[in-house]
């Protein structure tokens, strides 16, 4: 079954999967949500969402992926031949493409900021800029027509080059290299932040739950964050688990991946809150990208050696974004390879080609094309909304329905126990959460999202 490629080592397998999970979601969305939703109150709700919804759904994807060993569409075809359940996989491949379009644009911005940090031009401008130089700089950078397009194209090329290397020599090797670097950088920033004068006040803000800020939408946001951050609902985990060897312990792997993902989110909290308290930036709200592209440069400008800190930070961001982009693209690459028997080379080129057109359109949606709007969202905003709030939960919901109605008997238990070789006393609980709790919660998210919209 499947292509017989597997990750070479357990460490590599974990590094690649953690690389997929840890991305822009942890670095800018998590601190922003935490700030807006009552500090530790949000953190607690988020931890609950990961435990009740995230882990079971991750295991659900792992089980299907490893049992069938292919891409999201072929997986369902193999497990339930003759049925139409394979159509679930379409939402996955579609979501992958939509996410790739805007994710490569944002990753392009991080590359641009990295280059401007290294050259020092980001900090030279402080003198020239007005009261809020970084806001102005960000607006200029994002809304310009040419620069962001060039940087996102460089990123797509890098992404393609890594994918061409294959599962072991491309994805696994780069993850083995980048994940330790990412944790090292995070650690350096944590130490720096905790030794600032505002560390106490910052940690107090981060770790004191303010339940008065918790509303229904807090819970919905926490669930959405869990989906996006754990790379759920799109077949990324299914695709990667197809490369897991048969003796990989899925339960243990899922806990390590979700744990590392959570750790990075918490470390970002530890980095951000002391720093903003130290420099009196707590009044700022971090709408979308402004946390990393406005507040962070502002913090660095206050510190000795801004260029160095800024370079390290945007390098960290780029590493996180790149390992996630790779995982998203791999879904479509795997699909072309398995479904149309293409060589890896051809599949990678075919997946990357449309991006050279679509990603620039997405980028221009913040510039020349910003007048094209629907429901008050630009093309960029629409793609983000459509993929994150509709396609991801939909993919997960359909997978839960598959488990209820069609999955081969014992699929989950067999995979969790490696066909009876190890114990997995939690299998029944996981199955119950996938079949009964997840669909109800996801339906609630859907209804609330539509009401909000
Ligand atoms: N999890 C990544 C982040 O936190 C983004 C990501 C990678 C993703 N693969 C995904 C999101 C699949 C949704 C689905 O930034």
């Amino acid at each position: 079954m499947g292509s017989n490629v597997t990750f070479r080592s357990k460490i590599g397998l974990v590094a690649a999967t953690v690389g997929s999970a840890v991305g822009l979601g942890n670095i800018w969305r998590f601190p922003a949500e935490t700030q807006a939703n009552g500090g530790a109150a949000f953190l607690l709700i988020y931890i609950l969402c990961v435990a009740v919804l995230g882990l079971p759904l991750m295991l659900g994807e792992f089980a299907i992926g490893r049992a069938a060993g292919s891409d999201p569409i072929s997986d369902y075809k193999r497990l339930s031949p003759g049925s139409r359940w394979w159509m679930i996989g379409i939402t996955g491949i579609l979501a992958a493409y939509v996410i790739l379009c805007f994710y490569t644009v944002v990753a392009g911005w991080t590359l641009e900021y990295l280059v401007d940090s290294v050259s020092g031009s980001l900090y030279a401008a402080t003198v020239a800029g007005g009261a809020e130089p970084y806001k102005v700089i960000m607006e200029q950078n994002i809304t310009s027509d040419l620069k962001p397009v060039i940087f996102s194209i460089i990123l797509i090329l890098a992404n393609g080059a890594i994918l061409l290397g294959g599962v072991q020599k491309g994805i696994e090797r780069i993850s083995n290299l980048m994940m330790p670097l990412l944790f090292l950088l995070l650690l350096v920033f944590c130490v720096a932040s905790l030794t600032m004068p505002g560390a106490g006040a910052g940690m107090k803000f981060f770790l004191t739950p303010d339940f008065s800020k918790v509303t229904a939408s807090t819970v919905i946001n926490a669930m959405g964050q869990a989906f996006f951050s754990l790379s759920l609902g799109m077949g990324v985990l299914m695709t990667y688990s197809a490369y897991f060897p048969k003796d990989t312990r899925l339960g243990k792997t899922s806990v390590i991946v979700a744990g590392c993902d959570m750790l990075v989110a918490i470390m970002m909290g530890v980095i951000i809150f002391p720093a903003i308290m130290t420099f009196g930036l707590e009044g700022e709200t971090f709408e979308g990208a402004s946390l990393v592209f406005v507040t962070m440069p502002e913090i660095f400008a206050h510190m000795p050696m801004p260029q160095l800190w800024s370079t390290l930070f945007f390098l960290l961001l780029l590493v996180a974004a790149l390992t996630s982009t790779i995982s998203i693209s791999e879904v479509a690459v795997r699909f072309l390879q398995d479904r149309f028997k293409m060589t890896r080379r051809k599949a990678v080129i075919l997946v990357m080609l449309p991006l050279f057109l679509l990603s620039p359109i997405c980028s221009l949606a913040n510039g020349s094309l910003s007048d094209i709007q629907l429901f008050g969202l630009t093309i960029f905003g629409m793609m983000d909304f459509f993929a994150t709030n509709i396609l991801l939960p939909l993919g997960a919901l359909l997978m839960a329905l598959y488990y209820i109605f069609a999955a081969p008997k014992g699929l989950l238990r067999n995979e969790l126990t490696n066909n009876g070789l190890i114990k997995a006393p939690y299998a029944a609980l996981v199955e119950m959460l996938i079949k009964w709790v997840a669909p109800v919660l996801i339906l609630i998210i859907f209804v609330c999202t539509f009401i909000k919209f």
Side-chain angles (χ1 to χ4, degrees):
M1 263 199 195
S3 60
N4 297 310
V5 192
T6 61
F7 287 116
R8 193 179 290 159
S9 70
K10 294 229 154 59
I11 302 244
L13 169 165
V14 168
T17 317
V18 171
S20 165
V22 172
L24 301 168
N26 307 58
I27 294 177
W28 95 40
R29 272 187 63 165
F30 178 80
E33 297 276 359
T34 308
Q35 191 210 28
N37 291 296
F42 181 79
L43 179 61
L44 284 177
I45 297 172
Y46 178 64
I47 292 176
L48 216 69
C49 288
V50 168
V52 174
L53 202 63
L55 277 175
L57 288 172
M58 185 186 284
L59 285 170
E61 283 203 32
F62 279 172
I64 292 177
R66 191 174 62 174
S70 187
D71 62 274
I73 291 185
S74 318
D75 282 348
Y76 287 107
K77 272 194 180 156
R78 282 186 185 153
L79 294 176
S80 299
S83 73
R84 299 232 173 132
W85 288 95
W86 61 269
M87 292 170 94
I88 302 176
I90 298 178
T91 61
I93 308 240
L94 189 66
Y97 240 90
V98 179
I99 292 182
L100 270 180
C101 293
F102 66 83
Y103 210 87
T104 46
V105 173
V106 183
W109 299 342
T110 66
L111 182 59
E112 181 173 352
Y113 271 75
L114 176 62
V115 171
D116 290 351
S117 304
V118 174
S119 76
S121 64
L122 192 58
Y123 296 93
T126 329
V127 198
E132 289 178 308
Y134 296 107
K135 223 178 214 142
V136 178
I137 293 174
M138 181 180 108
E139 238 133 65
Q140 280 169 355
N141 278 343
I142 288 178
T143 57
S144 121
D145 283 339
L146 191 61
K147 256 171 87 189
V149 170
I150 295 176
F151 282 104
S152 58
I153 284 183
I154 297 177
L155 206 107
I156 295 169
L157 288 172
N159 187 40
I162 297 169
L163 286 167
L164 275 182
V167 175
Q168 292 189 347
K169 294 202 177 119
I171 301 174
E172 184 170 357
R173 205 167 62 177
I174 212 82
S175 306
N176 275 338
L177 218 75
M178 286 191 175
M179 284 299 112
L181 174 69
L182 182 98
F183 275 93
L184 185 73
L185 288 172
L186 280 165
L187 213 61
V188 170
F189 276 97
C190 279
V191 172
S193 211
L194 286 174
T195 49
M196 287 179 179
M203 289 309 287
K204 196 167 160 226
F205 174 82
F206 184 34
L207 297 179
T208 315
D210 177 1
F211 285 103
S212 70
K213 294 239 177 79
V214 173
T215 59
S217 79
T218 311
V219 182
I220 298 169
N221 288 359
M223 285 197 236
Q225 174 68 10
F227 267 91
F228 193 82
S229 194
L230 293 175
S231 310
L232 283 173
M234 202 197 85
V236 161
L237 299 172
M238 237 177 244
T239 308
Y240 269 20
S241 57
Y243 306 136
F244 289 2
K246 289 290 175 204
D247 64 350
T248 301
R249 292 167 181 256
L250 297 185
K252 195 170 141 195
T253 307
S254 71
V255 172
I256 295 176
V257 171
C260 287
D261 189 65
M262 181 79 73
L263 184 67
V264 173
I266 292 175
M267 284 170 106
M268 276 315 292
V270 172
I271 293 168
I272 302 268
F273 295 109
I276 58 173
M277 289 298 179
T278 303
F279 300 115
L281 303 173
E282 64 269 27
E284 285 187 18
T285 44
F286 311 143
E287 285 271 310
S290 73
L291 170 63
V292 287
F293 297 114
V294 178
T295 310
M296 290 313 285
E298 241 167 66
I299 291 173
F300 299 139
H302 282 96
M303 291 167 61
M305 300 182 291
Q307 234 177 301
L308 174 72
W309 289 111
S310 183
T311 301
L312 293 179
F313 180 75
F314 287 107
L315 180 66
L316 184 164
L317 206 58
L318 186 67
V319 166
L322 195 59
T323 45
S324 294
T325 320
I326 295 169
S327 76
I328 307 173
S329 330
E330 179 64 14
V331 177
V333 172
R334 177 85 261 156
F335 169 67
L336 291 182
Q337 275 188 285
D338 281 2
R339 177 72 181 74
F340 300 104
K341 303 279 165 272
M342 280 183 198
T343 58
R344 185 159 186 98
R345 198 187 166 79
K346 210 164 166 189
V348 170
I349 294 174
L350 261 180
V351 171
M352 293 296 125
L353 269 185
L355 282 181
F356 289 111
L357 180 72
L358 295 173
S359 172
I361 292 180
C362 224
S363 178
L364 290 174
N366 294 310
S368 294
L369 301 181
S370 61
D371 287 339
I372 306 178
Q373 293 198 356
L374 203 69
F375 304 114
L377 290 172
T378 59
I379 300 178
F380 186 97
M382 268 187 300
M383 291 183 114
D384 185 2
F385 180 85
F386 180 58
T388 313
N389 296 324
I390 307 218
L391 289 178
L392 297 185
L394 184 66
L397 177 65
L398 292 174
M399 182 183 80
L401 294 179
Y402 177 73
Y403 271 104
I404 298 176
F405 296 112
K409 231 182 159 43
L411 168 73
L412 189 70
R413 181 172 294 272
N414 287 343
E415 287 301 322
L416 290 183
T417 59
N418 290 350
N419 288 318
L421 290 176
I422 55 169
K423 288 206 173 73
Y426 47 81
L429 176 66
V430 171
E431 185 148 13
M432 198 264 297
L433 288 170
I434 295 179
K435 285 183 171 173
W436 308 112
V437 179
V440 175
L441 289 178
I442 296 170
L443 277 174
I444 295 175
I445 305 185
F446 267 138
V447 173
C448 295
T449 308
F450 279 108
I451 293 173
K452 226 166 78 177
F453 207 49

